[in-house]
Amino acid sequence: MNYGGPGDVCLAISGSGNSPNVLAAVDWANRHGLKTFGLTGFTGGKLKQMQHAGLHVPLNDMGMVESIHLCLFHWALNDVFARINSEGRYAGASKN
């Protein structure tokens, strides 16, 4: 709440989609103009209904849900690293 503002992104992670603290954060973010992106599993719970966009893993196995979410984070981290260091598909790109 101290750092978020309109246009920022709130990333919400809840395997069940019903974690009270996560839902409270997303509610606040939605009311204050932030974009909300949720990572959910199982049925998606309340978070799936509240988020603006997200990745839903429709499995009833928390370990598998978390593993798939982790794959997304791994891909995003590698992509950011490649952008910063002009590697892979970003080779030859300007660092500006």
Side-chain angles (χ1 to χ4, degrees), residues 29-81:
N30 284 338
R31 289 185 287 109
H32 288 85
L34 283 76
K35 302 296 182 193
T36 53
F37 187 92
L39 296 173
T40 59
F42 295 82
T43 65
K46 295 176 184 174
L47 177 56
K48 188 176 176 193
Q49 306 307 314
M50 296 172 65
Q51 67 193 19
H52 292 126
L55 173 70
H56 174 67
V57 180
L59 298 174
N60 293 327
D61 180 324
M62 187 63 79
M64 288 301 295
V65 168
E66 290 174 344
S67 292
I68 293 169
H69 289 168
L70 186 58
C71 287
L72 173 69
F73 286 122
H74 184 70
W75 174 83
L77 181 61
N78 282 343
D79 191 71
V80 169
F81 181 87

Side-chain angles (χ1 to χ4, degrees), residues 12-14 18-28:
I13 307 166
S14 173
N18 292 314
S19 303
N21 290 339
V22 173
L23 296 176
V26 171
D27 177 58
W28 182 90

Side-chain angles (χ1 to χ4, degrees), residues 4-16:
D8 288 347
V9 175
C10 172
L11 177 62
I13 307 166
S14 173
S16 69

